[in-house]
Structures are given as C-alpha cells and as structure tokens.
C-alpha cells in the first residue's frame, strides 16, 4: 500500500514531448502527453475498449488516440471518437490525474483529484533560481522504495560506501540533532575538523580539514532535500542535493536526483566533475540497495537491528506508521 493524496514525481519535464509517455506510479499505469498549448495531461494508461496501453498510441491534436483500434480520448479521459461507430457510450472513459510541472519534474497526484493542490508540492526554490547551476538525474531502481529512502536518511554510510568521492571519515563521530515539525523530519549534523572526501577536497581546493555541516529534511511521501556545507578559513563550499523516491511497484522504484549550486561558476570543469562524482555515488547506493533487496527476498520477514545512526530512519518510519494508519482508516470508512 502507498500513501495517497500526495504529489509524486513521475518524469523529468523533457521526457514528455510530442509522443505519449507511459510510466507506472504507485502501481498505477499512467500515460502523459502534452496538448497543443504544451500543458501536461495525464490519463490511465489503458484504452477502455480492449485495455491496450494508450502510451503505445499517438497524439491527435489535443487528444490521444489508441494505437490498437483508434479510440480517441481527451484530457479528461472521455472517449471522443470510435472509428467503427457513430455513437459513444457514456461509460467510455478512463481515469484522469491532476498533473503539474515544477522544479524540472512532472508531478502527478495520486488520490482524490479534488484535493490536488499545487501548493502542497515540496518547496525547492533553488531549482528555479537562475543563480544556481542545476541538473537532474533519474535511476530505475530494482528494490523497494523505502530502502532508497532509508539510505538517504542515514548519511553516515557515506563515510564507507562513498569514501572515494564525498565521504567524510569522521561523519559517524558526531551526534545528530533531529526535530519533527508536523509530518516533516529535520536532521542536522556538524563535524568540526573533518577530512573532506576526495571530490569535496577538489571542488573547494581544501588543503586541510574542514567543518562539515549537513542539514536535511524529509517530507512525505518521499522527498529529501539536503544542504551540504564544507568550509575552512579560506572558502565555503555549499550545494543542495534533492532526492525524490517514487514507488513504481512494491519492489521497483523511480529514483530522482537534482543538484543545485551557485558557486564556482567561473570553473568550467566543476559542473561536469560534480555530476560525474555524484552519479558515481548514486550508482554505489543503488548497487548496495538492490543487493539488500535480494537478501531480504531470500529471508522474508527478517528484521533490522538499528543503531544510533538510524535515528532519522526510526523517526521517519514513526511518521509513516501514523500516516499509513490514517490511510487504512480512510480505506475502511470508504468500504462501509
């Protein structure tokens, strides 16, 4: 079961152009397309005739036509043309979904469409600020989405898994500060006199130790934004890492990442080098997470043994437990 009445990242903006784009989000097959004015439309990826995916069809003006037998649908999901007959049954329609573009992604609302409010999107202003250099990255993950979320919540793993790029060996030696604000969990950690990872040392031209500060937050359903700051007496390096985890199914995941930095604009090598390093670390994460999933599949029901560094994970799981309980109650009431 997944949380409903939330916005989920479904695609990078330029994924959807002049052809239908299909994607599964929270077990729901959805087709995205742009009308002639460029507005994103999102429908159930299924023709109500013979259940062929509409993403295998083509655009017909502002509408989408099934590639199997030619049934056509408007942006509201209503069938507007059946080539083999003049009349169109009132029930000839598919579900439509609210969709918006923001921060470089296309977001889709999973749940009650009447509750869809763009104001509930996460606040990521640096991804729309011209002063920042930004780039987006997508990984198709073959593991449960919560494993990716847990990986991002416990950044102490960077000291070991990412020691060749951004890891700080002293990361685990300082305690975390955790604060909950409603359903948002905030985490802070400061390591003074820390050894910068090789990539960090290169970007900041650091000659010795630095003060390493990490400030990040999680908000449901699965958005983490992290501000990383590394400073010595000469320079302060700061950048934002945004991670969004969208479930595809129970054991497959859309893993999104965005980088934002407004420093070192005069260094032509910095954007490419930072991208190579971060994409390398994301690959290390995914390799480990998918290995975890294989072990868990072999040992169904096996329990984790949490340590102190898992405190952010524990707090987020507490929030998720409360939200899932409310979801179950909502479903029970709907069934009455």
């Amino acid at each position: 079961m997944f949380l409903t009445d939330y916005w989920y990242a479904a695609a990078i903006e330029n994924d959807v152009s002049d052809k239908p784009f299909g994607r599964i989000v929270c077990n729901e097959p959805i087709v995205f397309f742009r009308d002639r004015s460029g507005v994103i439309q999102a429908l159930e990826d299924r023709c109500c005739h013979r259940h062929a995916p509409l993403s295998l069809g083509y655009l017909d003006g502002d509408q989408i036509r099934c590639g199997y037998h030619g049934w056509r649908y408007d942006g509201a999901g209503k069938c507007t043309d059946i080539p083999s007959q003049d009349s169109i049954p009132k029930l000839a329609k598919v579900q439509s979904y609210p969709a918006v573009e923001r921060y470089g992604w296309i977001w889709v609302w999973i749940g009650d469409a009447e509750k869809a409010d763009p104001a509930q999107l996460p606040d990521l202003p640096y991804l729309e600020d011209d002063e920042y250099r930004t780039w987006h990255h997508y990984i198709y993950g073959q593991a449960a989405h919560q494993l990716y979320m847990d990986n991002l919540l416990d950044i102490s793993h960077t000291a070991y898994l990412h020691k060749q790029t951004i890891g700080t060996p002293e990361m685990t030696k300082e305690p975390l500060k955790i604060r909950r604000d409603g359903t948002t969990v905030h985490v802070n950690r400061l390591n003074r006199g820390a050894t910068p990872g090789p990539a960090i040392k290169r970007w900041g031209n650091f000659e010795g130790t630095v003060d390493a500060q990490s400030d990040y937050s999680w908000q449901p359903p699965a958005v983490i934004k992290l501000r990383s700051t590394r400073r010595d007496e000469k320079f302060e390096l700061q950048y934002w890492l945004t991670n969004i985890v969208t479930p595809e199914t129970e054991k497959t995941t859309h893993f999104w990442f965005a980088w934002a930095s407004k420093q070192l604009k005069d260094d032509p090598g910095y954007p490419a080098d930072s991208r190579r390093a971060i994409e390398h670390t994301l690959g290390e994460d995914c390799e480990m997470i998918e290995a975890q999933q294989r072990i868990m599949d072999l040992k169904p029901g096996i329990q984790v043994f949490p340590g102190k560094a898992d405190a952010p994970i524990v707090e987020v799981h507490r929030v998720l437990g409360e939200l899932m309980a409310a979801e179950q109650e909502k479903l029970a009431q709907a069934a009455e």
Side-chain angles (χ1 to χ4, degrees):
M1 185 180 75
F2 305 114
L3 292 175
T4 58
D5 295 338
Y6 285 98
W7 292 104
Y8 285 88
I12 294 175
E13 286 180 345
N14 58 14
D15 284 339
V16 183
S17 55
D18 58 350
K19 295 180 180 179
F21 181 86
R23 178 141 281 166
I24 298 172
V25 176
C26 298
N27 282 328
E28 298 190 27
I30 302 173
V31 60
F32 299 87
F33 63 97
R34 293 182 186 273
D35 62 23
R36 284 176 292 190
S37 62
V39 176
I40 292 291
Q41 307 294 337
L43 302 178
E44 181 182 1
D45 192 9
R46 176 188 67 87
C47 178
C48 67
H49 175 217
R50 303 291 295 175
H51 310 314
L54 291 174
S55 56
L56 296 181
Y58 57 93
L59 301 187
D60 184 354
D62 286 335
Q63 302 186 26
I64 186 170
R65 194 176 285 275
C66 178
Y68 199 10
H69 297 97
W71 290 35
R72 187 180 65 196
Y73 298 84
D74 64 17
K78 180 181 177 181
C79 182
T80 60
D81 181 51
I82 301 176
S84 59
Q85 63 192 63
D86 295 329
S87 62
I88 302 174
K90 292 182 178 180
L91 295 180
K93 58 184 178 180
V94 296
Q95 182 177 347
S96 64
Y97 297 82
V100 296
E101 293 183 76
R102 188 73 57 82
Y103 309 126
W105 286 287
I106 294 170
W107 304 77
V108 63
W109 180 267
I110 301 297
D112 185 348
E114 293 184 357
K115 297 180 180 179
D117 180 359
Q120 294 185 35
L121 285 165
D123 186 27
L124 309 171
Y126 44 86
L127 292 177
E128 295 183 326
D129 189 332
D130 291 338
E131 290 191 8
Y132 284 83
R133 283 176 167 173
T134 65
W135 51 266
H136 290 65
H137 187 59
Y138 168 73
I139 295 174
Y140 180 70
Q142 301 189 57
H145 79 285
Q146 196 57 51
L147 289 178
Y148 294 89
M149 207 77 261
D150 292 351
N151 165 273
L152 298 166
L153 288 165
D154 172 24
I155 60 174
S156 68
H157 78 274
T158 62
Y160 302 94
L161 190 58
H162 307 316
K163 58 186 178 182
Q164 299 302 320
T165 52
I166 62 172
T168 297
E170 299 86 357
M171 177 69 71
T172 60
K173 295 182 179 180
E174 293 295 331
L176 293 163
K177 294 181 179 180
I178 301 174
R179 174 175 60 88
R180 176 174 170 178
D181 180 11
T183 58
T184 299
V185 176
H186 300 271
V187 185
N188 310 94
R189 170 182 264 147
L190 173 61
N191 290 86
R192 297 190 182 277
T195 305
I200 304 296
K201 181 178 180 179
R202 186 166 62 249
W203 301 338
N205 197 27
F206 296 122
E207 298 178 354
T209 60
V210 298
D211 288 345
Q213 184 166 339
S214 300
D215 304 290
Y216 61 102
S217 63
W218 170 91
Q219 67 184 90
V223 177
I224 287 182
K225 55 181 181 180
L226 183 150
R227 182 179 61 192
S228 178
T229 306
R230 303 293 185 265
R231 65 173 72 88
D232 63 9
E233 65 279 1
K234 296 180 181 179
F235 185 67
E236 178 179 282
L237 175 70
Q238 186 176 101
Y239 51 85
W240 286 90
L241 309 177
T242 303
N243 300 275
I244 302 177
V245 181
T246 296
E248 181 188 55
T249 66
E250 280 75 10
K251 291 186 180 180
T252 54
T253 298
H254 303 299
F255 182 21
W256 312 97
F257 176 87
W259 162 280
S261 174
K262 61 180 178 181
Q263 294 178 300
L264 303 176
K265 287 191 173 183
D266 296 329
D267 182 350
Y270 176 55
D273 186 51
S274 62
R275 183 159 193 160
R276 282 193 300 268
I278 295 299
E279 288 185 357
H280 178 77
T281 66
L282 294 173
E284 291 174 326
D285 285 328
C286 290
E287 181 180 10
M288 182 64 74
I289 291 166
E290 291 176 7
Q292 284 179 277
Q293 184 67 66
R294 291 193 293 270
I295 295 296
M296 294 168 68
D297 288 343
L298 292 170
K299 299 281 187 179
I302 192 171
Q303 299 297 307
V304 300
F305 194 87
K308 287 185 177 180
D310 296 312
I313 300 175
V314 172
E315 187 61 29
V316 166
H317 280 241
R318 183 177 293 115
V319 176
L320 284 172
E322 296 170 4
L323 295 174
M324 285 294 184
E327 189 88 6
Q328 292 281 14
E329 183 178 353
K330 180 172 62 178
L331 291 174
Q333 292 174 351
E336 291 179 353

